PDB file of all heavy atoms in Angstrom:
ATOM      1  N   GLU X 360     -50.597 -43.782 -57.036  1.00 82.00           N
ATOM      2  CA  GLU X 360     -51.178 -43.819 -55.691  1.00 82.00           C
ATOM      3  C   GLU X 360     -50.120 -43.867 -54.687  1.00 82.00           C
ATOM      4  O   GLU X 360     -48.905 -44.232 -54.955  1.00 82.00           O
ATOM      5  CB  GLU X 360     -52.085 -44.968 -55.541  1.00 82.00           C
ATOM      6  CG  GLU X 360     -51.373 -46.254 -55.645  1.00 82.00           C
ATOM      7  CD  GLU X 360     -52.343 -47.460 -55.481  1.00 82.00           C
ATOM      8  OE1 GLU X 360     -53.556 -47.203 -55.424  1.00 82.00           O
ATOM      9  OE2 GLU X 360     -51.855 -48.596 -55.335  1.00 82.00           O
ATOM     10  N   LEU X 361     -50.454 -43.394 -53.400  1.00 84.00           N
ATOM     11  CA  LEU X 361     -49.478 -43.449 -52.321  1.00 84.00           C
ATOM     12  C   LEU X 361     -49.413 -44.819 -51.833  1.00 84.00           C
ATOM     13  O   LEU X 361     -50.351 -45.523 -51.726  1.00 84.00           O
ATOM     14  CB  LEU X 361     -50.004 -42.539 -51.122  1.00 84.00           C
ATOM     15  CG  LEU X 361     -49.871 -41.040 -51.372  1.00 84.00           C
ATOM     16  CD1 LEU X 361     -50.650 -40.343 -50.183  1.00 84.00           C
ATOM     17  CD2 LEU X 361     -48.445 -40.599 -51.388  1.00 84.00           C
ATOM     18  N   THR X 362     -48.169 -45.290 -51.523  1.00 84.00           N
ATOM     19  CA  THR X 362     -48.029 -46.521 -50.753  1.00 84.00           C
ATOM     20  C   THR X 362     -48.247 -46.241 -49.276  1.00 84.00           C
ATOM     21  O   THR X 362     -48.439 -45.125 -48.881  1.00 84.00           O
ATOM     22  CB  THR X 362     -46.600 -47.089 -50.930  1.00 84.00           C
ATOM     23  OG1 THR X 362     -45.706 -46.187 -50.344  1.00 84.00           O
ATOM     24  CG2 THR X 362     -46.276 -47.319 -52.397  1.00 84.00           C
ATOM     25  N   GLU X 363     -48.155 -47.339 -48.513  1.00 83.00           N
ATOM     26  CA  GLU X 363     -48.391 -47.123 -47.051  1.00 83.00           C
ATOM     27  C   GLU X 363     -47.245 -46.196 -46.455  1.00 83.00           C
ATOM     28  O   GLU X 363     -47.476 -45.240 -45.772  1.00 83.00           O
ATOM     29  CB  GLU X 363     -48.313 -48.533 -46.340  1.00 83.00           C
ATOM     30  CG  GLU X 363     -48.561 -48.500 -44.868  1.00 83.00           C
ATOM     31  CD  GLU X 363     -49.895 -47.801 -44.413  1.00 83.00           C
ATOM     32  OE1 GLU X 363     -50.917 -47.960 -45.201  1.00 83.00           O
ATOM     33  OE2 GLU X 363     -49.899 -47.073 -43.437  1.00 83.00           O
ATOM     34  N   ALA X 364     -46.026 -46.535 -46.897  1.00 84.00           N
ATOM     35  CA  ALA X 364     -44.857 -45.659 -46.512  1.00 84.00           C
ATOM     36  C   ALA X 364     -45.008 -44.210 -46.948  1.00 84.00           C
ATOM     37  O   ALA X 364     -44.739 -43.246 -46.203  1.00 84.00           O
ATOM     38  CB  ALA X 364     -43.622 -46.248 -46.986  1.00 84.00           C
ATOM     39  N   GLY X 365     -45.561 -44.036 -48.115  1.00 84.00           N
ATOM     40  CA  GLY X 365     -45.739 -42.737 -48.654  1.00 84.00           C
ATOM     41  C   GLY X 365     -46.798 -41.984 -47.845  1.00 84.00           C
ATOM     42  O   GLY X 365     -46.662 -40.716 -47.627  1.00 84.00           O
ATOM     43  N   ARG X 366     -47.816 -42.652 -47.396  1.00 84.00           N
ATOM     44  CA  ARG X 366     -48.811 -42.018 -46.603  1.00 84.00           C
ATOM     45  C   ARG X 366     -48.271 -41.558 -45.323  1.00 84.00           C
ATOM     46  O   ARG X 366     -48.473 -40.385 -44.905  1.00 84.00           O
ATOM     47  CB  ARG X 366     -49.969 -43.031 -46.375  1.00 84.00           C
ATOM     48  CG  ARG X 366     -51.314 -42.417 -46.388  1.00 84.00           C
ATOM     49  CD  ARG X 366     -52.573 -43.360 -46.569  1.00 84.00           C
ATOM     50  NE  ARG X 366     -52.275 -44.754 -46.464  1.00 84.00           N
ATOM     51  CZ  ARG X 366     -52.286 -45.624 -47.453  1.00 84.00           C
ATOM     52  NH1 ARG X 366     -52.522 -45.213 -48.684  1.00 84.00           N
ATOM     53  NH2 ARG X 366     -52.086 -46.899 -47.272  1.00 84.00           N
ATOM     54  N   ARG X 367     -47.429 -42.347 -44.698  1.00 84.00           N
ATOM     55  CA  ARG X 367     -46.812 -41.981 -43.342  1.00 84.00           C
ATOM     56  C   ARG X 367     -45.923 -40.759 -43.631  1.00 84.00           C
ATOM     57  O   ARG X 367     -45.866 -39.872 -42.869  1.00 84.00           O
ATOM     58  CB  ARG X 367     -46.005 -43.091 -42.798  1.00 84.00           C
ATOM     59  CG  ARG X 367     -46.940 -44.120 -42.086  1.00 84.00           C
ATOM     60  CD  ARG X 367     -46.101 -44.972 -41.152  1.00 84.00           C
ATOM     61  NE  ARG X 367     -45.056 -45.688 -41.838  1.00 84.00           N
ATOM     62  CZ  ARG X 367     -45.199 -46.912 -42.378  1.00 84.00           C
ATOM     63  NH1 ARG X 367     -46.392 -47.515 -42.360  1.00 84.00           N
ATOM     64  NH2 ARG X 367     -44.288 -47.499 -42.968  1.00 84.00           N
ATOM     65  N   ALA X 368     -45.109 -40.837 -44.700  1.00 84.00           N
ATOM     66  CA  ALA X 368     -44.179 -39.706 -45.043  1.00 84.00           C
ATOM     67  C   ALA X 368     -44.973 -38.459 -45.282  1.00 84.00           C
ATOM     68  O   ALA X 368     -44.572 -37.455 -44.740  1.00 84.00           O
ATOM     69  CB  ALA X 368     -43.363 -40.079 -46.276  1.00 84.00           C
ATOM     70  N   ALA X 369     -46.089 -38.501 -45.987  1.00 83.00           N
ATOM     71  CA  ALA X 369     -46.839 -37.432 -46.256  1.00 83.00           C
ATOM     72  C   ALA X 369     -47.462 -36.787 -44.971  1.00 83.00           C
ATOM     73  O   ALA X 369     -47.539 -35.540 -44.740  1.00 83.00           O
ATOM     74  CB  ALA X 369     -48.013 -37.703 -47.270  1.00 83.00           C
ATOM     75  N   GLU X 370     -47.914 -37.708 -44.093  1.00 82.00           N
ATOM     76  CA  GLU X 370     -48.463 -37.208 -42.845  1.00 82.00           C
ATOM     77  C   GLU X 370     -47.384 -36.474 -41.986  1.00 82.00           C
ATOM     78  O   GLU X 370     -47.648 -35.407 -41.404  1.00 82.00           O
ATOM     79  CB  GLU X 370     -48.921 -38.455 -42.085  1.00 82.00           C
ATOM     80  CG  GLU X 370     -50.438 -38.756 -42.440  1.00 82.00           C
ATOM     81  CD  GLU X 370     -50.839 -40.154 -41.986  1.00 82.00           C
ATOM     82  OE1 GLU X 370     -50.148 -40.787 -41.192  1.00 82.00           O
ATOM     83  OE2 GLU X 370     -51.890 -40.580 -42.460  1.00 82.00           O
ATOM     84  N   ARG X 371     -46.135 -36.982 -42.023  1.00 82.00           N
ATOM     85  CA  ARG X 371     -45.117 -36.277 -41.229  1.00 82.00           C
ATOM     86  C   ARG X 371     -44.802 -34.960 -41.923  1.00 82.00           C
ATOM     87  O   ARG X 371     -44.675 -33.979 -41.186  1.00 82.00           O
ATOM     88  CB  ARG X 371     -43.807 -37.180 -41.300  1.00 82.00           C
ATOM     89  CG  ARG X 371     -43.800 -38.324 -40.209  1.00 82.00           C
ATOM     90  CD  ARG X 371     -42.400 -38.809 -40.032  1.00 82.00           C
ATOM     91  NE  ARG X 371     -41.763 -39.324 -41.234  1.00 82.00           N
ATOM     92  CZ  ARG X 371     -41.910 -40.649 -41.636  1.00 82.00           C
ATOM     93  NH1 ARG X 371     -42.589 -41.458 -40.921  1.00 82.00           N
ATOM     94  NH2 ARG X 371     -41.315 -40.967 -42.757  1.00 82.00           N
ATOM     95  N   THR X 372     -44.785 -34.943 -43.211  1.00 77.00           N
ATOM     96  CA  THR X 372     -44.515 -33.720 -43.929  1.00 77.00           C
ATOM     97  C   THR X 372     -45.507 -32.608 -43.516  1.00 77.00           C
ATOM     98  O   THR X 372     -45.231 -31.445 -43.178  1.00 77.00           O
ATOM     99  CB  THR X 372     -44.529 -33.864 -45.353  1.00 77.00           C
ATOM    100  OG1 THR X 372     -43.489 -34.792 -45.721  1.00 77.00           O
ATOM    101  CG2 THR X 372     -44.191 -32.575 -46.109  1.00 77.00           C
ATOM    102  N   LEU X 373     -46.817 -33.034 -43.567  1.00 77.00           N
ATOM    103  CA  LEU X 373     -47.883 -32.145 -43.304  1.00 77.00           C
ATOM    104  C   LEU X 373     -47.971 -31.667 -41.886  1.00 77.00           C
ATOM    105  O   LEU X 373     -48.430 -30.569 -41.571  1.00 77.00           O
ATOM    106  CB  LEU X 373     -49.224 -32.742 -43.770  1.00 77.00           C
ATOM    107  CG  LEU X 373     -49.393 -32.936 -45.258  1.00 77.00           C
ATOM    108  CD1 LEU X 373     -50.624 -33.705 -45.645  1.00 77.00           C
ATOM    109  CD2 LEU X 373     -49.464 -31.521 -45.918  1.00 77.00           C
TER     110      LEU X 373
END
Side-chain angles (χ1 to χ4, degrees):
Chain X
E360 65 180 8
L361 286 170
T362 63
E363 185 54 38
R366 221 163 6 253
R367 279 198 303 272
E370 276 161 10
R371 278 199 300 274
T372 300
L373 289 171

